[in-house]
Amino acid sequence: MSEKTALTKRYEFVLLFDVENGNPNGDPDAGNLPRIDPETGCGLVTDVCMKRKVRNYVELAKESENGYEIYVKEGAILNQLNKEAFDHHSDIELKDKKSDKMEAKKKEDQLTLAQWMCNKYYDIRTFGAVMTTGVNCGQVRGPVQFGFAKSIDPISPLDVTITRMAVTNERDAEKERTMGRKSIVPYGLYRMEGFVSASLANQTNFRQDDLELLWSALVNMFDHDRSASRGKMSTQKLIVFEHESKLGNAPAHKLFNLVHVERKKEIEVARSFGDYVCSIGDVPRGVTVHELS
């Protein structure tokens, strides 16, 4: 299959990544503590957080190459980006020319605008986007969807005290060193499940080369997302289920259940990926497994 061909197969995938002495996804409603399921004690990382890392990787890898720009990024004014689609299609008739809002009058023109946005922005044709605020370019449902990541075992966040050596203002120069705090997870192995729909991919023009870029992002994104707060985060394993058909050859939940990740019996407290055993059960006919990391 060549790079530019359309997707003809359905995919599901399981991503295993870990964090060491860091906060993988702080909760602003809880003082930026690591997100946690209060009933199980397992750590959580939101789908939005993971999509942000993919976007950042694509932007870095492609350097705003034509067709690989990023729509949702820091500082972006979305209505201005939407207006570019109307500027590029100046012959499109608007619904209300007197309004400060912009919306195409004809249904086919609305679809043209949405498709133009898909072709320009990688994250729109991958994850979809709602582009209906003010300058209306439509709503796109993306072929790639992430679930929340959840840690294999309960996590035990630590609140670490740190010392501040410098001060902000001259009036504080004579003060003693002040203290601060940061929250970390000593170690946590997280599992995220995701889906790729060939049917929706054909609607957004998400093609084989886009899929390969997604796999590359999931494997390498943490190496370009370092910060003191996140500690050491790494992709440990990416398991991809490839179906033979567009509709798929097995239910997604049954394929996910084939991936077993368990802490070794002799290990009481895990502190590395080597403390776990990962195995994959028998795959049904019509499905191929790829381990990409």
Side-chain angles (χ1 to χ4, degrees), residues 119-229:
N119 292 338
K120 183 177 177 67
Y121 296 102
Y122 177 84
D123 55 336
I124 293 180
R125 67 176 178 271
T126 303
F127 302 125
V130 177
M131 303 173 286
T132 57
T133 56
V135 183
N136 190 342
C137 286
Q139 183 171 335
V140 176
R141 184 180 174 193
V144 178
Q145 299 299 329
F146 294 170
F148 273 37
K150 183 178 180 180
S151 66
I152 302 300
D153 289 325
I155 60 171
S156 299
L158 295 180
D159 208 17
V160 180
T161 302
I162 56 177
T163 303
R164 186 186 185 198
M165 301 298 296
V167 295
T168 304
N169 304 300
E170 291 182 5
R171 62 176 178 270
D172 297 327
E174 301 303 321
K175 291 184 178 180
E176 295 184 5
R177 289 177 295 179
T178 57
M179 300 296 178
R181 308 190 76 82
K182 65 185 297 185
S183 297
I184 65 168
V185 177
Y187 183 80
L189 177 62
Y190 289 74
R191 168 178 173 149
M192 183 187 79
E193 299 170 349
F195 313 83
V196 182
S197 165
S199 299
L200 292 174
N202 292 334
Q203 294 179 27
T204 68
N205 208 27
F206 181 86
R207 295 181 177 272
Q208 189 68 27
D209 59 326
D210 294 322
L211 181 66
E212 296 303 323
L213 181 58
L214 174 68
W215 300 148
S216 178
L218 291 174
V219 171
N220 299 298
M221 60 189 180
F222 294 116
D223 286 328
H224 305 280
D225 190 55
R226 302 297 184 193
S227 78
S229 64

Side-chain angles (χ1 to χ4, degrees), residues 39-168:
E39 293 185 339
T40 65
C42 290
L44 299 174
V45 175
T46 66
D47 58 329
V48 175
C49 175
M50 300 301 289
K51 289 178 181 178
R52 175 78 271 145
K53 297 180 191 305
V54 171
R55 288 184 170 102
N56 290 347
Y57 176 84
V58 171
E59 187 173 28
L60 180 64
K62 291 297 184 177
E63 297 182 335
S64 297
E65 179 182 325
N66 185 35
Y68 292 93
E69 295 183 43
I70 297 300
Y71 182 68
V72 179
K73 61 182 179 181
E74 186 175 358
I77 302 175
L78 301 183
N79 273 348
Q80 290 183 2
L81 301 181
N82 294 357
K83 189 175 182 300
E84 292 179 6
F86 285 88
D87 293 341
H88 191 79
H89 300 87
S90 57
D91 57 333
I92 285 181
E93 184 179 359
L94 301 181
K95 271 189 175 181
D96 186 358
K97 296 181 180 180
K98 297 180 180 180
S99 173
D100 58 348
K101 297 183 178 180
M102 302 180 71
E103 183 174 357
K105 187 174 184 179
K106 298 179 181 178
K107 180 68 174 179
E108 56 266 30
D109 288 339
Q110 295 174 7
L111 296 176
T112 297
L113 292 169
Q115 190 60 63
W116 189 86
M117 296 293 283
C118 286
N119 292 338
K120 183 177 177 67
Y121 296 102
Y122 177 84
D123 55 336
I124 293 180
R125 67 176 178 271
T126 303
F127 302 125
V130 177
M131 303 173 286
T132 57
T133 56
V135 183
N136 190 342
C137 286
Q139 183 171 335
V140 176
R141 184 180 174 193
V144 178
Q145 299 299 329
F146 294 170
F148 273 37
K150 183 178 180 180
S151 66
I152 302 300
D153 289 325
I155 60 171
S156 299
L158 295 180
D159 208 17
V160 180
T161 302
I162 56 177
T163 303
R164 186 186 185 198
M165 301 298 296
V167 295
T168 304

